[in-house]
Amino acid sequence: MAAARIARLSPGKVARLSLTQSRAMSGLSATRCGLPKESVAENGAPPRGKVLTIDTMNPTVKMVEYAVRGPIVQRAVELEKELSEGRKKPFQEVIKANIGDAHAMGQQPITFFRQVLALCSYPELLNDSTFPEDAKSRARRILQSCGGNSMGSYSASQGIDSVRQDVARYVQQRDGGVYCDPDNIYLTTGASDGIVTMLKLLVCGEGASRTGVMISIPQYPLYSAALAELGAVQINYYLNEEACWSMDIGELQRALDEARGHCNPRALCIINPGNPTGQVQNRKCIEDVIRFAAKERLFLMADEVYQDNVYADGCEFHSFKKVLFEMGPEYSNTVELASFHSTSKCYMGECGFRGGYMEIINMDDEVKAQLTKLVSVRLCPPVPGQALMGLVVNPPQPGEPSHENFMKERTATLSALADKARLTEEVLNTVPGISCNPVQGAMYSFPRISIPEKAVKEAAGQGQQPDMFYCMRLLEETGICLVPGSGFGQKDGTYHFRMTILPPADKLKILLSKVKEFHQRFTKQYS
């Protein structure tokens, strides 16, 4: 009962409760706590306290929140443990639809990628006739780029040279021939590593001169967490839910003008396709954003990790770099841009390998030298992740033994995701009190939910946001783990949840059915 009561509290209340309990315990004598008495120094002085305490730790770390792995997920883990111990629940399993972890949700890895990584990890397999020759050839090329012909060696801090060349060719081909310099490519530990590294370069100043960074609301919590840790100012601009989460330049201008009174806005972050909102920005929108960034002298950060995840008719992915250069020298020679990609999403779903890259455009040469120095402090990204990134940007080509199967697996995965995106939207929109925009891309839906006033008041009484209260009840009653919209940001008075579309189709149908039944039951209870 105590665990369930704590689970219903907000993250802040849980932290305060834990701290209060800790301090209360410290006020009791060791004997009363059932502990041995603490020794004292020979001179009779009391022992020294901890050097690092909740009061003396870095205060910016305490400001960091990450809803995707927050209290609701911790409770989901507890429920899994309770089920394994034979505890009776209203459900047989916990379904974690809170995070875009494709393979954990049943998506199968691409055979060619795993074959090459296996060969690289254990080169003795190069003598095995069951592996196709193009996989062996690719493995040899990767190993020749590694010190001692081993993926266990460090690489250059900026990444394996041959992989950066492959990335540059991929970007150039993707963008219709716009030149890509391999020296502007930095391999990273997933896209997140590159994003945080760029923010570190941008953040400076104190008081009213502190760096402000514009992020979309709803946003991926990496951004708010990183800005909190770095002591930067978060500038919220709101996506237009009524227009399928589109961007509005007037809203960008409003947010920027209001922020200039208390910080120095220096960067604008875009997630396209969107997370958690699943929208795909059209070309005109991207052009407008580039003009806005040029006019206001903002550094552009384009998070494009879902660039292959585009499902809706009439939607198409346009890279910020391609549009920037097609707008002509007025913009392509001046606007500073960093774009990011990853092995974790799209049709690959290889989250655990932590592979990614960023490309920088129009960066000052002296700053670029500082960037290279900064990444060198961490020696290098994981070499298997680098190798995988190289395979993603340079997959089997037509005529090679693995090409047909690669295309079959890639197409099947993306087709299944498109079907599940449509299914999610269709089912959720049949539920009175739930409205879901089309899932145009990425891997999530972000529906708006109506929460009765009686439930809002009960949530307030428990120190919780209403959608956290809703999602925690959903978890306790159905075993479905979703993330409340308050963890991503949302307009006041609106409530949402984020749900991944990754579960297998049969399990997704069950999940959606349970959400539908729960919402109807929840609404009736609190009406």
Side-chain angles (χ1 to χ4, degrees):
M1 290 295 291
R5 183 172 60 84
I6 291 173
R8 290 194 295 268
L9 297 177
S10 66
K13 284 209 169 188
V14 172
R16 289 195 294 274
L17 177 61
S18 299
L19 182 57
T20 302
Q21 290 175 332
S22 174
R23 286 174 172 165
M25 287 290 289
S26 66
L28 298 174
S29 70
T31 303
R32 288 181 61 193
C33 292
L35 301 173
K37 291 184 178 180
E38 293 181 339
S39 60
V40 296
E42 290 183 2
N43 61 6
R48 292 177 58 187
K50 299 286 188 184
V51 172
L52 183 62
T53 69
I54 195 71
D55 296 319
T56 63
M57 68 177 287
N58 183 343
T60 63
V61 174
K62 291 186 282 187
M63 300 295 292
V64 172
E65 294 184 4
Y66 190 65
V68 176
R69 292 178 181 260
I72 197 162
V73 182
Q74 296 166 15
R75 178 57 183 152
V77 172
E78 290 177 0
L79 287 170
E80 284 184 318
K81 183 178 179 182
E82 291 172 11
L83 283 170
S84 69
E85 293 170 348
R87 301 271 291 275
K88 297 296 183 182
K89 301 291 177 185
F91 46 87
Q92 301 299 315
E93 66 172 331
V94 174
I95 302 176
K96 294 179 182 175
N98 61 295
I99 193 168
D101 191 351
H103 292 182
M105 299 301 290
Q107 183 174 309
Q108 294 302 301
I110 298 296
T111 300
F112 180 78
F113 295 167
R114 289 300 183 89
Q115 286 175 331
V116 176
L117 291 172
L119 291 163
C120 289
S121 299
Y122 189 57
E124 291 293 324
L125 293 174
L126 288 166
N127 299 318
D128 190 326
S129 61
T130 61
F131 286 82
E133 286 303 316
D134 55 343
K136 292 181 179 180
S137 175
R138 193 65 62 82
R140 292 189 186 99
R141 180 170 179 262
I142 293 169
L143 290 172
Q144 287 167 4
S145 301
C146 297
N149 292 321
S150 171
M151 280 207 305
S153 60
Y154 291 126
S155 75
S157 297
Q158 199 169 336
I160 297 171
D161 184 63
S162 64
V163 174
R164 290 192 295 117
Q165 291 176 10
D166 286 349
V167 170
R169 280 191 289 270
Y170 161 81
V171 171
Q172 188 163 320
Q173 182 179 20
R174 180 199 67 185
D175 293 343
V178 177
Y179 177 66
C180 180
D181 185 348
D183 195 47
N184 288 338
I185 300 295
Y186 287 75
L187 301 183
T188 57
T189 308
S192 302
D193 174 49
I195 291 165
V196 172
T197 298
M198 285 308 309
L199 290 174
K200 286 181 179 179
L201 290 177
L202 283 158
V203 173
C204 64
E206 296 180 355
S209 69
R210 278 196 306 163
T211 292
V213 178
M214 303 183 71
I215 66 172
S216 62
I217 298 297
Q219 55 106 18
Y220 177 49
L222 164 71
Y223 292 92
S224 57
L227 295 176
E229 184 179 356
L230 294 170
V233 177
Q234 176 179 317
I235 304 171
N236 296 336
Y237 66 89
Y238 289 87
L239 300 176
N240 186 349
E241 183 172 9
E242 284 66 36
C244 203
W245 300 111
S246 63
M247 290 183 63
D248 178 74
I249 299 302
E251 170 60 14
L252 288 178
Q253 193 69 59
R254 176 208 63 78
L256 184 73
D257 292 344
E258 290 182 5
R260 281 191 166 135
H262 60 272
C263 70
N264 177 24
R266 303 186 70 201
L268 170 58
C269 299
I270 312 290
I271 308 174
N272 181 50
N275 176 11
T277 42
Q279 84 286 359
V280 179
Q281 303 295 358
N282 61 41
R283 183 189 173 90
K284 182 183 181 303
C285 173
I286 294 172
E287 290 178 354
D288 290 343
V289 169
I290 290 172
R291 292 189 186 96
F292 177 81
K295 177 174 72 78
E296 302 294 348
R297 297 190 69 244
L298 296 171
F299 191 107
L300 269 177
M301 295 177 61
D303 181 339
E304 299 175 333
V305 303
Y306 296 98
Q307 57 190 259
D308 289 323
N309 297 112
V310 177
Y311 316 122
D313 292 339
C315 289
E316 181 182 356
F317 170 74
H318 301 278
S319 80
F320 265 79
K321 182 191 175 184
K322 182 175 187 284
V323 176
L324 175 68
F325 276 80
E326 290 179 349
M327 290 173 68
E330 177 185 358
Y331 299 100
S332 62
N333 290 343
T334 59
V335 174
E336 297 155 86
L337 169 69
S339 57
F340 309 90
H341 194 17
S342 167
T343 64
S344 299
K345 309 303 178 183
C346 299
Y347 62 92
M348 303 85 69
E350 296 280 14
C351 304
F353 280 97
R354 310 308 301 134
Y357 76 78
M358 65 177 173
E359 181 185 12
I360 55 171
I361 303 294
N362 293 324
M363 178 175 279
D364 179 271
D365 288 340
E366 291 183 336
V367 175
K368 184 178 178 183
Q370 294 298 314
L371 169 60
T372 303
K373 178 188 73 176
L374 186 58
V375 299
S376 71
V377 172
R378 286 170 289 181
L379 297 177
C380 70
V383 172
Q386 294 185 53
L388 179 60
M389 189 78 254
L391 298 173
V392 169
V393 298
N394 185 17
Q397 300 302 305
E400 294 182 336
S402 300
H403 179 260
E404 182 179 352
N405 189 59
F406 166 78
M407 291 303 299
K408 179 181 178 182
E409 292 178 340
R410 181 186 188 278
T411 301
T413 298
L414 292 175
S415 177
L417 287 170
D419 290 343
K420 290 186 285 189
R422 286 189 289 271
L423 173 68
T424 299
E425 174 199 348
E426 290 170 2
V427 173
L428 290 177
N429 280 327
T430 67
V431 186
I434 297 182
S435 61
C436 182
N437 272 316
V439 182
Q440 297 176 330
M443 294 178 171
Y444 316 97
S445 63
F446 197 69
R448 183 188 292 194
I449 53 175
S450 297
I451 298 182
E453 186 60 30
K454 185 178 177 182
V456 171
K457 291 180 180 178
E458 183 167 334
Q462 297 186 18
Q464 289 185 333
Q465 292 290 334
D467 47 12
M468 170 62 87
F469 175 76
Y470 177 98
C471 288
M472 194 64 79
R473 282 284 304 274
L474 175 70
L475 174 63
E476 295 286 352
E477 294 182 23
T478 69
I480 296 171
C481 180
L482 307 179
V483 189
S486 50
F488 301 90
Q490 56 196 349
K491 283 189 176 180
D492 290 343
T494 68
Y495 309 111
H496 302 79
F497 60 73
R498 188 187 80 162
M499 185 185 82
T500 180
I501 63 170
L502 286 170
D506 56 345
K507 185 170 288 189
L508 181 63
K509 289 177 182 177
I510 294 171
L511 186 157
L512 290 167
S513 176
K514 287 187 175 183
V515 169
K516 181 177 181 177
E517 292 170 2
F518 168 81
H519 186 84
Q520 293 170 336
R521 186 168 64 250
F522 181 88
T523 301
K524 183 177 180 181
Q525 177 183 351
Y526 287 101
S527 294

